[in-house]
Every structure is written in C-alpha cells, then in structure tokens.
Amino acid sequence: MAEAVLGRERGRERPPAVVWERERRRHRALEGLRGYGLIAAMWIRSSMTYRMSFLLATVGNAAVTLLDFAAIYIMFTHVDALGGFSLPEIALLYGSCSTSLGLANLLLGNTDRIGTRIRDGSLDGMLVRPVPVLAQVAADRFALRRLGRIAQGSGVLVWAVVVLDVDWTVGKVLLVPVMVLAGAAIFAAVMVAGAAFQFAAGDAAEVVNSFTYGGCTMLEYPPTVFTRELLRGVTFVVPLAFVNWLPALYVLGRPDPLGLPGWVAFLSPLVAFVVFVPASLAWRVGLRSYRSTGS
Amino acid sequence: MGEVLIELDGVEKVFTVRRRAGLVRREKRQVRAVDGIGFTVDRGEMVGYIGPNGAGKSTTIKMLTGILTPSAGRLRVAGIDPARERMRLAHRMGVVFGQRTTLWWDLPLKDSYGLMRRMYRIPEARYRANLERCVERLDLGELLEVPVRQLSLGQRMRGDIAAALLHDPDVLYLDEPTIGLDVVSKAKVRAFLRQLNAELGTTVLLTTHDLQDIEQLCERVMVIDHGRLMYDGPLGGLHASGAAGQSERTLVVDLERELPPLEVAGARVVRVEGARQWLAFPAQASAAPLVAAVAAGYPLLDLSVREPDIEEVIARMYAGRG
C-alpha cells in the first residue's frame, strides 16, 4: 500500500520532461507579464492620486534630460562639427539612445534596487507570491514619470529626422523605429544581467548604471571621437554599439569606423535577442544561488 | 488521524560560509543550519516551532515556503515540492514575517489587498467575505486607507496577517508574529488565530520567542536546536519529559517583614528580595500543603504560584543534552 502510494508519487514527479518544462516556461512567462501588468497598473493608479505632483515630476524629468541636450546644442554654437558629425546628426544619435534608455528604464529601471532587496531580505516577500520574481522586481515602483525622458528623447529624434539631409529609403525609414526598440531591448538585457550580478556582488547598482546611463552618454557622441579599442569593446563584448551607432551610421550613410559591412546595421534586433539569452540565464543562476544560500 | 499536509523527511540545509582568511585567501566553512529534520503536520493542526536564535527555525520556514532549496531530504506541503513549484504552492499558503512586511510599503492597505486579489485570482465574493472577516476581527476598518509605512508595528502585523489569508490558504506560516507587539495587540492577534484555526481549520505553524503564544495557541510544540528536532509533542509533555529534567513550580510569598530564608519541608528558597521570597517545589507536588505550612509558621501577607517557565524548561533541556 505504502509502496503503491510512493510509486504514484514518483510517477507524478516525472512528467514527460520536455513538454512539461516547455509548458511551464510558457506559463511562467505569461504569469510574469500578467503580474507585471497588475503591479505596474497599481503604481500608476497610486501616482495618479496626486495628479499635480505626477505632472510636475514628469515635466521635471523631461526638463532635466533636456538640459543634457542643451549642453550639446550650446557646444555647437562654437563648433560646426564634432568628430565630423553635424548637430542634426548628433541629434539622431542622442534622440535614439535617449529614447531607448528611457523605454528600458520605464519598463525595467527598478531592477537595480535588487541589491537592497537582497540585503534587507525583502526579496523573501517576493518569493512567496505567485508571480515570477523578475516581474515583481521590474514592476516595483513602476514610475510613469519616466515618460518624461522618452518624450524628450523622441522629440529630439523627430527633430533630427525632419532636418537631416538624408536620402530616405524604405530601409532607412524602417531602421529608425527598429533602432529605438532594439536599443531599448539591449539596455533592458544589460539591466537584467546587472540585476543578476547583484546576487553575487551585493549592491552593485552603480556598476549597472555605468553601463546603462554611462553607455547612453557615450552613445550620444559619434563613434569617431572614441578609440578603436573602445569601439571594439562595445561592438563585440557589451554590444552597446548596436543600440544606435551602427544603425545610425547606416541611416546617415557613413562608414563604420571598424569597417563592418553595411548590413550589420540591421542586426540590432538579433543582437538584442542574443544578449537576452545570457542575461536571463544569469538571472536564473543568480536567483537559484539566492535560494540555496539565503540572505 | 487527519490528512497529512506538511511532510518533512531527513531535511537538511547546509550553508557554505566564505570567510576572509588573509588578503586573498578565503576559507570555506559549512554550516548545517538544519540537520536532518523529519516531522508531519496534519491538516487543521496548530503547531508551535520554538528554539533559541540560530537554531534553524527560520531556515525551516523558508524551505517550507519555497524561498530556500533544501540541501537534502524530502519536503512536501500539500503534496507540492516547495522549491520546485514555488508559484503553485504560493496559492496554497500564507506567510507572515514578524520582522518585515510583505505588503507594499508606500501603498494604503486597501491597494495592497486589491493587488493581492488580482495576483492570486481570488473570486470577488470570496475576497469580499475574507476581507470583511479580517477587517472586523483584526480591527482594520480605519487603517485601510493608511499607507503601510505609517502603520504602527501592531497595526502593520494585523494588516500582514489579513493579507496572508485573503486567498484562503491551507496553511499559514507565522515567523515571530507577536515580536515587538504590545499586550493588547498580542491578545488580538492570538484571539484571531485561534478563531481562524477553529472555524476555517487553517493549519498554522508558528515560530516564536514568546512562550505565551505557544501556551495560548498550540497543543503541539516542536523544539529545535542546532538544526535538530529535540522534542515533538504536547506542550504539557515538555515539562514532564525526561529531557527537561525535574521541572519545578515556584511559590512566591510576601511576608510582613524581612526574614531569613524560610524553612519548609518539600521546598527550598531560591531567591530572597526584601520581604518577598521565592520557594521552588516539584511541579507534580500539590501546592496546598506547602501554602498551609508557610501560613502556619510565618506572617504571610500574600502569595502566588508560578507555573514552570517553558523557556527555563527548554534551557534546562539544552543544558541536559549539550
């Protein structure tokens, strides 16, 4: 009798492994999206209770990031070109990467708080809820005011597209939104990898920021002003060059300083997908290590 | 015998602690936080899980909730392996950590509960009924609109307990549910838990330092130390168990004036403080003859009998084994 029960139990533990696992992963992803939506919606509702304060925060957010571009604009009142790039050309770089980072930040920006959550143990509270932890971490304190940066970035981007003297082909027109979205995905992957890294390194939010905010600041300037070593690093190691440099160079009809062929400009979505694989793997390893060591 | 809800068999948890031993070199040391624990809890039981700090109480709870993965052994809650199917188990259990909230710090309780409802897919009618019951019995009515960070510890704890019960869990884990609470809040929480267990049959497993929690709530108590189960049985048995040694009750007498230690058969004076004296006598012995003897021989003003302190009993148990 006892053995029969055991046998049944064992049978239940060994479902058709592959199908089960695939089903489970799909289920997790859907539950993650659903949970993310629920949590984000709650934070939006809660921020809307103070409409005025929300508006001010959003406008402030846009204004602060706009100062960023104002600095570049002022620089151009003294020079005609930077690294051989004109102001509208730099605006294309600036607008696209600022929008990309803004999007990634809106959706995943709060993952950098995980170091604190690990330290104070509040991650435990997330592990007892029926929603994947990454979704909970990412949606926590979802801040719609971050639309400010997106608005500012896309404003600069639209201005650049309008004033740029470019032969717009279908490919180039399509490449602009693809560049922004793929760029956001690459930043998002970096954020996930950074969050995973914090399981091992404790609070390393600043390391992650140096890649995201720091990376974006770099990408606002033309690749021609940087050394070849750096360019190689951001092309092949942490592929930030795919956020906007490579696609933007194609749109502008400029050659790549590293001499890569033109079609590489269209690889950004693929690169985004490829970096997400190690990033999500790292996340799972990180979470598993937490679950086997505790806080 | 009821249906088994929680089942542990030879469960171990080994942490690897890295410590700096020199500039670069690091020493690895293995700490066995839980060292081969096995027990079962039936549906509807209310069990106290006690032991000194670092005994492995929280580690056990964390394994039962799926937060930590056991290093060895078999563990099932409602037939689910917590570590492997954390999210499925989440629907069946509620957890309250006394030390920190699982609610959203900046949101009013009401919003946290609303989010729980959607997260756990609680049917509207169930949710209403459960929330109503919790609000009424935990006295939350006026707190619903208050952000969690503005709540007092006792209010927050009640809020947390309600949050853990909205989805009708089979089992409720409470890790130090009365820590830092005032007497009134403690009483409220205990009364609520008793009702919950009696009316809904929710299984409750709680860790605590406050032995009154156990005395008032749990018929069964498990004592853990150094990651091992030292005792598992009724609270009363803890006093009587050989491991606990000979336990004693205490007679506290207030005399008219300061006197040298009293000399009464069957008891010995363990403490003197002014006109008050403490006399220890075997727990099984009746207090009546002793009281009579004291009253007959000395100018007695007042007296009280103290039951053996479980903390003391446990401490003695440790001393006996250690």
Side-chain angles (χ1 to χ4, degrees):
Chain A
M1 174 64 198
E3 247 169 323
V5 173
L6 258 176
R8 214 185 320 139
E9 204 51 73
R10 216 173 281 146
R12 189 144 39 103
E13 271 173 48
R14 278 185 217 155
V18 183
V19 181
W20 175 257
E21 190 54 36
R22 200 187 304 144
E23 189 62 26
R24 218 162 72 155
R25 223 173 270 176
R26 201 175 60 96
H27 177 74
R28 283 186 73 85
L30 286 178
E31 281 298 291
L33 284 177
R34 179 176 177 272
Y36 184 97
L38 290 176
I39 299 170
M42 182 193 61
W43 284 107
I44 292 171
R45 265 200 311 280
S46 123
S47 67
M48 286 304 174
T49 44
Y50 302 100
R51 234 164 260 262
M52 198 58 203
S53 129
F54 166 75
L55 269 175
L56 285 175
T58 311
V59 171
N61 198 291
V64 169
T65 41
L66 199 61
L67 282 179
D68 235 14
F69 187 67
I72 296 175
Y73 187 85
I74 291 165
M75 191 159 61
F76 268 89
T77 59
H78 297 283
V79 295
D80 294 327
L82 184 66
F85 281 56
S86 68
L87 181 61
E89 286 178 311
I90 293 209
L92 179 72
L93 290 174
Y94 177 93
S96 63
C97 91
S98 191
T99 311
S100 293
L101 181 63
L103 281 169
N105 226 356
L106 176 72
L107 296 176
L108 284 169
N110 284 318
T111 46
D112 68 351
R113 290 164 47 89
I114 190 152
T116 320
R117 293 200 161 278
I118 293 168
R119 240 182 311 116
D120 69 15
S122 53
L123 194 66
D124 287 359
M126 295 185 158
L127 278 159
V128 300
R129 294 199 191 117
V131 172
V133 177
L134 183 58
Q136 292 185 62
V137 173
D140 186 40
R141 292 167 180 275
F142 184 88
L144 215 49
R145 62 164 190 282
R146 287 178 166 156
L147 283 173
R149 189 189 188 109
I150 298 172
Q152 179 266 354
S154 44
V156 173
L157 182 62
V158 167
W159 177 76
V161 167
V162 170
V163 300
L164 267 177
D165 186 19
V166 165
D167 257 343
W168 289 102
T169 63
V170 176
K172 286 182 179 181
V173 170
L174 280 177
L175 194 54
V176 173
V178 166
M179 163 171 74
V180 171
L181 294 179
I186 292 173
F187 276 131
V190 171
M191 286 172 182
V192 171
F197 179 62
Q198 298 202 38
F199 281 107
D203 202 345
E206 293 311 316
V207 179
V208 186
N209 287 345
S210 73
F211 280 100
T212 51
Y213 289 91
C216 185
T217 304
M218 175 187 78
L219 295 173
E220 287 165 6
Y221 296 90
T224 45
V225 303
F226 296 102
T227 64
R228 291 181 68 85
E229 285 70 30
L230 184 77
L231 294 186
R232 280 203 195 93
V234 297
T235 306
F236 302 112
V237 185
V238 183
L240 291 178
F242 289 90
V243 169
N244 69 347
W245 274 352
L246 293 167
L249 288 173
Y250 178 87
V251 170
L252 299 173
R254 288 172 174 273
D256 172 44
L258 291 182
L260 297 174
W263 52 264
V264 170
F266 290 90
L267 290 184
S268 293
L270 186 68
V271 169
F273 182 76
V274 168
V275 289
F276 246 112
V277 174
S280 62
L281 212 63
W283 169 262
R284 285 170 64 176
V285 170
L287 192 61
R288 198 177 305 149
S289 79
Y290 177 82
R291 295 182 60 200
S292 59
T293 59
S295 43
Chain B
M1 231 186 81
E3 177 197 347
V4 172
L5 190 69
I6 301 173
E7 199 182 349
L8 281 82
D9 186 12
V11 169
E12 291 178 19
K13 181 70 198 177
V14 182
F15 295 119
T16 307
V17 182
R18 288 185 183 80
R19 189 179 282 172
R20 285 183 86 124
L23 260 182
V24 191
R25 210 165 62 85
R26 289 197 163 193
E27 252 171 24
K28 272 195 192 174
R29 204 163 52 89
Q30 302 234 305
V31 179
R32 306 184 82 79
V34 171
D35 192 6
I37 279 189
F39 61 78
T40 60
V41 175
D42 287 350
R43 189 178 287 278
E45 273 195 281
M46 206 158 178
V47 183
Y49 197 53
I50 59 179
N53 286 326
K57 299 187 299 277
S58 291
T59 307
T60 312
I61 297 263
K62 283 183 180 182
M63 287 193 285
L64 286 169
T65 49
I67 294 172
L68 291 180
T69 313
S71 313
R74 190 189 132 90
L75 200 155
R76 291 288 180 278
V77 178
I80 298 171
D81 179 349
R84 287 202 55 199
E85 294 187 77
R86 187 181 66 70
M87 291 190 352
R88 193 154 81 89
L89 181 66
H91 287 284
R92 311 281 301 267
M93 65 171 196
V95 192
V96 177
F97 296 110
Q99 313 272 24
R100 56 181 108 86
T101 182
T102 55
L103 298 170
W104 287 266
W105 200 240
D106 298 297
L107 297 177
L109 273 182
K110 195 185 55 167
D111 288 10
S112 274
Y113 294 161
L115 182 56
M116 294 287 204
R117 178 176 77 77
R118 295 196 179 84
M119 222 182 225
Y120 286 85
R121 294 186 166 92
I122 310 168
E124 182 69 38
R126 268 324 298 150
Y127 171 75
R128 283 240 188 90
N130 286 345
L131 183 60
E132 209 166 283
R133 196 184 61 238
C134 288
V135 165
E136 185 197 325
R137 297 199 176 157
L138 287 168
D139 211 358
L140 294 171
E142 287 174 6
L143 308 177
L144 287 176
E145 307 286 337
V146 183
V148 174
R149 75 181 122 76
Q150 287 174 18
L151 297 177
S152 75
L153 189 59
Q155 294 170 333
R156 203 219 75 204
M157 183 66 65
R158 285 183 273 141
D160 257 311
I161 292 176
L165 293 170
L166 294 175
H167 59 286
D168 285 321
D170 294 317
V171 55
L172 176 66
Y173 302 105
L174 300 148
D175 196 2
E176 301 282 356
T178 55
I179 199 163
L181 299 195
D182 59 67
V183 182
V184 179
S185 295
K186 274 184 187 177
K188 250 182 219 166
V189 166
R190 285 178 192 142
F192 179 81
L193 292 176
R194 251 197 315 270
Q195 268 178 330
L196 174 80
N197 179 256
E199 289 171 18
L200 298 181
T202 308
T203 310
V204 178
L205 183 68
L206 65 95
T207 74
T208 184
H209 270 94
D210 187 333
L211 293 152
Q212 280 193 325
D213 284 350
I214 307 273
E215 279 173 343
Q216 297 187 12
L217 295 176
C218 306
E219 282 172 13
R220 177 178 168 198
V221 56
M222 289 189 277
V223 181
I224 179 179
D225 190 29
H226 294 105
R228 286 171 183 276
L229 204 56
M230 308 278 286
Y231 176 82
D232 182 357
L235 181 61
L238 195 54
H239 304 309
S241 79
Q246 187 69 24
S247 58
E248 292 177 318
R249 291 198 280 172
T250 312
L251 178 68
V252 186
V253 295
D254 284 325
L255 305 167
E256 268 173 19
R257 56 184 186 277
E258 289 186 32
L259 284 174
L262 309 185
E263 280 175 31
V264 196
R268 60 195 165 81
V269 175
V270 288
R271 193 169 153 206
V272 178
E273 216 171 76
R276 177 174 284 189
Q277 301 200 4
W278 282 259
L279 288 87
F281 63 101
Q284 305 91 319
S286 165
L290 187 61
V291 172
V294 174
Y298 300 94
L300 184 63
L301 282 184
D302 196 7
L303 62 83
S304 64
V305 176
R306 291 199 186 152
E307 293 304 314
D309 193 339
I310 309 170
E311 208 145 36
E312 209 175 280
V313 172
I314 291 166
R316 210 173 294 165
M317 186 163 125
Y318 295 140
R321 298 245 174 137

